[in-house]
């Protein structure tokens, strides 16, 4: 805006001061520094963060909790609701780091947890789980703690996470559990390809969840979709390294809610172990997978681009000789193209007792070593194909 007349600039100033006074009155602004947080990567700022949260949660005004630039050590923080039904925004310009010694939180489920909240947004920020010494421990034979999830949302509604970066989580990076209406956008997850169990985003027992415009490079599933997930929308996600986007593992427990209405659209996999996968233990279960669409998917040297594995039984423990009870139906693969890093580019290994039904392939073109000669493998699966299908379908 160009201002060349002093009168109009006075008008402008009075306009802005009215505007700002109003917004200050309506929004409570809480800088964690004013609650004693220190950006020295040394002082535990947990208490400061929790004090700011208590005030915001108690207030009937909407609140912004502000974390300025700098490195804040937070030993552990559980932000609990129910709050006074007001929107709370965490605006984070800095980094929040977990204790360097993995024993401090290694046996806890979560490092940072939001529980029973409604209308919380996180904007920006780096969360650094400092997981590498725990992974080293796990790679030796020592008795190591399991590791904590970096960021959890439990039993919460109307959550938004925008522009957050999660680094080197001990275990899972972000877990959405028992939630409704959660939007993750512009999220970045980074951990090395060999870091164990560092799933990027895990969703379970939740509905109306979207994951958009995000980049995930990690040592396990980029997105894992657990029992009881419905109305999940994933779009514009780049995955790699990692184990792909997986529905499962399912049938870990006998009584399990199903997974339904999942859309995975415009995603790219680069040098991942899997592309789009459905994975269930070879065990009886009440679970199911229904109404899934994988659409516009690019694969670059993916070991198992398209896979349904219903005979998952690691170490042949607790399942040999059993069949999966999970019923898989109405799964569509549409416009899937690129390269496979192994000969079998498409594998449907379904349950003997509950064959996969309604599997639809439409325009699938996968190559192996620059040849269009990749193979498909099918057992206990029924479905239809349309358009170009390479490798030749075994449906
Ligand atoms: C923060 O301190 C830890 C040691 O406690 C160190 O490993 C880490 O590199 C530091 N982070 C930054 C960004 O300086
Ligand atoms: C929040 O409200 C509760 C109950 O009204 C009160 O006990 C508590 O001290 C308040 N906490 C803060 C930080 O205001
Ligand atoms: C949160 O979502 C529920 C429906 O899931 C709605 O009833 C409620 O009003 C929403 N709350 C806010 C703060 O938007
Ligand atoms: C499926 O989920 C999408 C959001 O991912 C939602 O818009 C749509 O209404 C859902 N369809 C059904 C039948 O529930
Ligand atoms: C499959 O994709 C390759 C490029 O990866 C392309 O050369 C080939 O023409 C495509 N095949 C069909 C039938 O579209």
């Amino acid at each position: 805006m160009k201002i060349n007349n002093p009168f109009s600039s006075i008008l402008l100033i009075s306009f802005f001061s009215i505007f700002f006074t109003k917004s200050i009155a309506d929004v409570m602004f809480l800088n964690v520094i004013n609650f004693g947080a220190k950006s020295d990567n040394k002082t535990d700022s947990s208490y400061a963060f929790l004090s700011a949260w208590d005030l915001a949660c108690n207030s009937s005004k909407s609140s912004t909790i502000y974390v300025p630039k700098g490195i804040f050590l937070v030993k552990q923080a559980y932000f609990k609701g129910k709050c006074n039904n007001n929107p709370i925004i965490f605006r984070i310009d800095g980094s929040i780091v977990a204790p360097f010694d993995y024993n401090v939180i290694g046996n806890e489920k979560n490092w940072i947890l939001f529980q029973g909240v409604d209308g919380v947004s996180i904007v920006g920020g780096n969360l650094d789980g400092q997981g590498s010494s725990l992974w080293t421990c796990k790679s030796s034979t020592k008795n190591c703690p399991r590791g904590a999830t970096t960021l959890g949302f439990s039993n919460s509604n109307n959550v938004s996470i925008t522009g957050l970066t999660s680094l080197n989580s001990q275990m899972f990076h972000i877990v959405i559990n028992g939630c409704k209406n959660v939007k993750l956008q512009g999220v970045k997850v980074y951990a090395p390809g060999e870091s164990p169990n560092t799933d990027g985003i895990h969703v379970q027992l939740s509905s109306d969840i979207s994951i958009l415009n995000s980049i995930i490079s990690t040592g396990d599933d980029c997105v894992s979709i657990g029992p009881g997930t419905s109305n999940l929308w994933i779009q514009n996600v780049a995955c790699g390294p990692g184990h792909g986007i997986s529905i499962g593992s399912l049938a870990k427990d006998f009584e399990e809610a199903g997974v339904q209405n999942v859309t995975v659209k415009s995603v790219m996999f680069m040098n991942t172990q899997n592309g789009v996968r459905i994975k269930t233990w070879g065990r009886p279960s009440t679970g199911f997978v229904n109404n899934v669409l994988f659409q516009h998917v690019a694969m670059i040297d993916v070991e198992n681009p398209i896979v349904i594995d219903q005979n998952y039984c690691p170490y042949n423990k607790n399942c040999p000789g059993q069949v999966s009870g999970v019923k898989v139906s109405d799964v569509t693969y549409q416009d899937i193209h690129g390269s496979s890093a192994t000969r079998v580019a498409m594998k449907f290994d379904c349950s003997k007792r509950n064959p996969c039904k309604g599997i639809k392939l439409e325009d699938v073109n996968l190559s192996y070593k620059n040849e269009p000669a990749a193979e498909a493998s099918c057992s206990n699966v029924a479905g239809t194909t349309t358009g170009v299908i390479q490798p030749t379908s075994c449906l």
Side-chain angles (χ1 to χ4, degrees), residues 3 102 115 123 196 212 219 270 275 351 366 377 382 391:
I3 301 155
Y102 57 75
Q115 196 171 38
V123 181
L212 309 174
M270 242 173 120
S351 166
L366 295 163
S377 128

Side-chain angles (χ1 to χ4, degrees), residues 102-121:
Y102 57 75
N103 286 306
V104 176
I105 54 164
N107 286 309
E108 304 287 334
K109 270 196 111 131
N110 296 277
W111 170 35
I112 298 170
L113 176 70
F114 290 84
Q115 196 171 38
V117 301
D118 188 345
V120 167
S121 305

Side-chain angles (χ1 to χ4, degrees), residues 126-155:
N126 290 305
L127 304 180
D128 184 348
Q130 304 219 71
S132 69
S133 51
L134 177 60
W135 313 328
T136 308
C137 173
K138 285 181 171 181
S139 69
S140 69
T141 53
K142 271 187 285 176
N143 237 349
C144 315
R146 209 180 105 92
T149 288
T150 282
L151 174 64
F153 273 88
S154 269
N155 306 319

Side-chain angles (χ1 to χ4, degrees), residues 208-209 231-233 261 263 291:
D208 304 315
I209 311 297
N231 303 354
L232 169 64
W233 189 278
N261 188 16
T263 301
N291 188 13

Side-chain angles (χ1 to χ4, degrees), residues 306-335:
I306 294 177
V307 56
I308 298 182
D309 174 9
Q310 290 207 263
N311 290 301
Y312 180 63
C313 191
Y315 313 112
N316 269 324
K317 256 178 90 179
N318 303 326
C319 30
Q322 302 186 56
V323 294
S324 181
V326 175
K327 297 178 179 67
V328 178
S329 59
D330 297 321
V331 182
T332 301
Y333 301 86
Q334 201 175 57
D335 181 25

Side-chain angles (χ1 to χ4, degrees), residues 18-301:
I18 289 163
F19 180 77
F20 278 120
T21 314
K22 186 173 181 320
S23 53
I24 285 164
D26 287 352
V27 180
M28 198 159 61
F29 187 85
L30 307 166
N31 186 331
V32 291
I33 298 283
N34 298 334
F35 293 82
K38 294 233 171 1
S39 63
D40 59 3
N41 187 20
K42 207 167 78 194
T43 311
D44 179 19
S45 293
S46 308
Y47 185 74
F49 278 61
L50 292 171
S51 305
W53 171 263
D54 280 348
L55 209 58
C57 184
N58 259 13
S59 167
S60 54
K61 290 179 189 172
S62 81
S63 313
T64 294
I65 296 173
Y66 179 58
V67 181
K69 280 212 168 75
I71 303 170
F72 296 87
L73 174 66
V74 167
K75 197 166 140 192
Q76 190 174 35
Y78 284 8
F79 301 105
K80 293 191 181 153
K82 181 177 189 211
C83 297
N84 269 330
N85 221 13
N86 52 311
I88 298 176
I89 301 171
F90 261 89
R91 196 152 75 71
I92 311 174
D93 285 339
S95 294
I96 302 174
V97 304
F100 183 74
D101 176 0
Y102 57 75
N103 286 306
V104 176
I105 54 164
N107 286 309
E108 304 287 334
K109 270 196 111 131
N110 296 277
W111 170 35
I112 298 170
L113 176 70
F114 290 84
Q115 196 171 38
V117 301
D118 188 345
V120 167
S121 305
I122 299 179
V123 181
N126 290 305
L127 304 180
D128 184 348
Q130 304 219 71
S132 69
S133 51
L134 177 60
W135 313 328
T136 308
C137 173
K138 285 181 171 181
S139 69
S140 69
T141 53
K142 271 187 285 176
N143 237 349
C144 315
R146 209 180 105 92
T149 288
T150 282
L151 174 64
F153 273 88
S154 269
N155 306 319
S156 296
N157 296 332
N158 313 317
V159 170
S160 160
I161 301 173
T162 306
L164 176 84
T165 300
S166 177
L167 283 174
N168 298 336
S169 182
Q170 292 187 347
M171 274 277 286
F172 291 9
H173 284 263
I174 299 173
V175 171
I176 307 299
N177 174 33
C179 296
K180 196 166 161 52
N181 188 21
V182 179
K183 194 166 187 175
L184 297 111
Q185 279 187 95
V187 168
K188 298 190 179 96
V189 170
Y190 300 113
E194 60 279 7
S195 56
N197 302 113
T198 52
D199 296 43
I201 300 169
H202 177 77
V203 180
Q204 63 179 21
L205 301 172
S206 295
S207 61
D208 304 315
I209 311 297
S210 55
I211 301 171
L212 309 174
N213 308 331
S214 294
I215 298 174
I216 302 169
S217 304
T218 194
D220 207 304
D221 293 338
C222 288
V223 180
S224 52
I225 300 158
T229 301
S230 61
N231 303 354
L232 169 64
W233 189 278
I234 298 173
Q235 187 169 4
N236 291 332
V237 169
C239 167
H243 293 185
I245 294 180
S246 296
I247 296 177
S249 307
L250 304 179
K252 199 163 193 304
D253 298 316
F254 176 72
E255 287 287 342
E256 234 180 46
V259 172
Q260 57 189 325
N261 188 16
V262 174
T263 301
V264 177
K265 188 175 166 152
S266 305
V267 295
M268 183 172 82
F269 298 94
M270 242 173 120
N271 300 110
T272 50
Q273 188 194 72
N274 307 286
V276 290
R277 170 166 70 159
I278 297 173
K279 172 176 155 192
T280 80
W281 288 71
R283 281 219 294 249
S285 166
T286 57
F288 63 86
V289 176
N290 175 243
N291 188 13
V292 178
L293 173 64
F294 297 113
Q295 189 185 47
H296 310 315
V297 180
M299 307 275 182
I300 302 170
D301 289 328

